[in-house]
Amino acid sequence: MKDEFDAIVVGAGPAGCAAALSLARNGLSVLLIERGRFAGAKNVTGGVLYGAALNELVPEFWKEAPVERRVTRHVVTFLSQRTAVSIDFDSKGLEQTSSSGFTVLRAKFDRWFAGKVEEAGGVVITGIPVDDLLWDGQRIAGVIAGGDSIPAPVVVAADGVNSVLAKKAGLGVQLSPANVNQGVKEIIKMPRELIEERFNLDENDGTAIHFLGHCTRGVHGGGFIYTNKDTISLGVVVQLKALIDNRLRSVELLEGFKEHPSVRALIKGGTTVEYSAHLVPSGGLTAVPRLCADGLLVTGDAAALVLATGRSLEGLNFAVASGMAAAEAVKTARQKGDYTSKTLSAYTDLLAGSFVMQDLKTFKKAPRFLENQRIYSVYPELACSLAERLFTVDGKAKRTVWQLGLEEVKRKTSAWQLVKDVMAARRAV
């Protein structure tokens, strides 16, 4: 191993791989350290990668990366205890581009991404935890990993939501039950042909379904189903505070979600082959910590760069974009021979000019709005009960949609409360 690298990146997720690949391609000697047995071994996200940022780094990445399916159906489903109402957007007719979403399995995808770092000349070491930062006075000067001191003028922390390195440098996200979600997920094996038939998909096309309502027993959170090639990613994501306050367990919510009639029909005949759990930052802009110190940059989940608006959950694309921005800042620092926070703050400037911080600012009110309990209880029930009345033909005189809607609103809440919530939604999401 080299006596000193130009940069050390800790964590071989999308943020770390993006940073290391960009640095290696620009001729810097970079070490990427991953504590898992291989890149992706401990990353459990089963979701959608929106590829515009990655496409800048690896043009037309979907032609070589182990993506599962291109998402051509986006569905939002409201659940009552026994019924469901869905909004379904089908985009099969649109051309595949870098802005398309792709379902991914991290154990496959991250391993490919780390392989790209090695192809570019970066050094990738797996199975070794980074225990501490190496200090030179008040300046970070490398890491201590596996009992060895590994020097470098700059370290990129991409080690996840509970970032050890960010905390040791005093830059860690201030996690609390109110700004972190717990996600639990199963991978369900199912024949490829059955997935395509059941979800009305053409070959290689996929579906992303997000659920609100009874899947979390009416508390802050939601459920999801993403189709992969021959598996389904299914799970629930719930605010930690809501779990504590309501004395709920995520695993119980997951089992209840699977038993809902509408969900049970989608996974019938499948076999669970994997179970996992993970924490997800959800505080939005207010949770983002200081992103740089002398000799250190913080990226991805370690910097709480996740956008949750209720209509989607974006984190993988934010991670890739932040890793690329961190690499640009490191290159600038190397050219100047200055790795102080003053120079490395170019990273925050780059993020500020990108969709990452712009989106977080645009939707800065979303976390507060999503605290509204009615989103997960009253309104899914209202949608389902209204649909039930609309589509019931019982031989009696029919009422107009407007009449039925007003009656259901009065039964579940009030017209004034509905108007207030709609106005809050307009400002937040």
Side-chain angles (χ1 to χ4, degrees):
M1 187 179 293
K2 292 171 61 69
D3 292 334
E4 181 172 332
F5 289 86
D6 292 324
I8 294 173
V9 181
V10 180
C17 286
L21 178 56
S22 181
L23 290 168
R25 282 183 173 173
N26 282 272
L28 279 71
S29 61
V30 58
L31 172 63
L32 176 61
I33 305 176
E34 166 58 42
R35 70 177 181 179
R37 291 184 298 109
F38 55 86
K42 64 180 183 61
N43 295 319
V44 302
T45 304
V48 178
L49 166 69
Y50 297 96
L54 181 57
N55 193 60
E56 294 181 22
L57 192 58
V58 185
E60 296 188 323
F61 65 90
W62 57 86
K63 293 183 178 180
E64 61 171 296
V67 297
E68 294 294 308
R69 292 177 179 271
R70 180 174 75 105
V71 178
T72 57
R73 285 187 65 213
H74 291 270
V75 184
V76 177
T77 297
F78 303 97
L79 297 179
S80 69
Q81 186 171 356
R82 293 184 298 274
T83 61
V85 173
S86 295
I87 301 170
D88 190 333
F89 172 62
D90 191 326
S91 61
K92 290 189 187 74
L94 299 181
E95 184 180 356
Q96 178 170 294
T97 66
S98 63
S99 60
S100 298
F102 299 87
T103 55
V104 296
L105 295 172
R106 296 285 298 280
K108 298 178 183 179
F109 181 81
D110 290 8
R111 182 176 263 181
W112 165 82
F113 211 170
K116 298 296 289 184
V117 176
E118 290 183 309
E119 288 177 13
V123 178
V124 180
I125 295 180
T126 61
I128 298 178
V130 174
D131 305 308
D132 207 343
L133 293 167
L134 190 63
W135 294 85
D136 180 7
Q138 299 299 309
R139 181 179 68 86
I140 294 161
V143 300
I144 299 174
D148 294 325
S149 296
I150 309 174
V154 63
V155 174
V156 178
D159 50 338
V161 62
N162 283 315
S163 174
V164 172
L165 301 187
K167 289 178 181 176
K168 289 182 178 293
L171 304 182
V173 177
Q174 298 301 308
L175 295 178
S176 72
N179 70 6
V180 67
N181 293 339
Q182 184 180 67
V184 291
K185 184 197 73 174
E186 288 187 4
I187 298 293
I188 300 174
K189 184 79 172 176
M190 190 176 293
R192 180 172 188 150
E193 296 77 13
L194 182 57
I195 290 174
E196 290 167 0
E197 177 185 347
R198 190 165 288 176
F199 290 87
N200 189 28
L201 299 171
D202 293 332
E203 186 179 6
N204 298 322
D205 287 344
T207 295
I209 311 177
H210 296 110
F211 298 83
L212 283 176
H214 192 69
C215 53
T216 59
R217 298 187 191 175
V219 304
H220 187 168
F224 62 83
I225 288 178
Y226 304 121
T227 57
N228 307 312
K229 288 179 180 177
D230 58 2
T231 62
I232 290 172
S233 297
L234 174 149
V236 294
V237 180
V238 186
Q239 184 194 53
L240 201 55
K241 182 177 184 296
L243 289 174
I244 296 170
D245 290 348
N246 293 277
R247 298 183 179 180
L248 295 172
R249 297 174 60 211
S250 294
V251 65
E252 294 173 352
L253 296 179
L254 181 65
E255 290 303 318
F257 177 45
K258 290 167 60 179
E259 288 302 314
H260 189 280
S262 296
V263 176
R264 187 170 62 239
L266 293 175
I267 62 175
K268 183 179 179 181
T271 302
T272 298
V273 295
E274 180 182 316
Y275 174 85
S276 54
H278 189 57
L279 294 179
V280 183
S282 61
L285 183 64
T286 59
V288 177
R290 192 159 53 93
L291 298 177
C292 62
D294 292 347
L296 180 72
L297 295 172
V298 187
T299 63
D301 277 8
L305 299 177
V306 175
L307 179 66
T309 61
R311 66 190 188 193
S312 64
L313 179 64
E314 297 180 52
L316 299 181
N317 55 334
F318 280 45
V320 171
S322 66
M324 293 169 62
E328 289 298 320
V330 170
K331 287 184 282 185
T332 298
R334 184 169 182 264
Q335 291 168 359
K336 294 183 176 181
D338 178 9
Y339 295 91
T340 63
S341 59
K342 180 178 180 180
T343 298
L344 290 175
S345 65
Y347 170 54
T348 59
D349 294 336
L350 288 166
L351 283 183
S354 75
F355 71 90
V356 175
M357 295 306 295
Q358 290 175 13
D359 284 355
L360 286 173
K361 289 180 179 178
T362 297
F363 298 101
K364 64 183 178 181
K365 295 181 180 179
R368 179 69 179 273
F369 170 73
L370 294 175
E371 293 282 345
N372 185 343
Q373 196 73 17
R374 289 179 293 278
I375 296 172
Y376 315 99
S377 55
V378 172
Y379 296 130
E381 289 285 345
L382 193 158
C384 290
S385 61
L386 176 57
E388 183 178 354
R389 295 186 67 183
L390 283 174
F391 297 108
T392 295
V393 179
D394 55 8
K396 298 179 181 178
K398 294 180 176 62
R399 320 267 320 261
T400 66
V401 174
W402 180 255
Q403 290 171 326
L404 292 175
L406 285 178
E407 287 180 6
E408 289 301 316
V409 168
K410 291 177 181 178
R411 285 177 56 195
K412 298 293 191 301
T413 178
S414 69
W416 176 237
Q417 185 62 68
L418 176 61
V419 170
K420 288 171 62 178
D421 288 341
V422 169
M423 293 301 294
R426 183 183 68 83
R427 292 189 294 268
V429 298

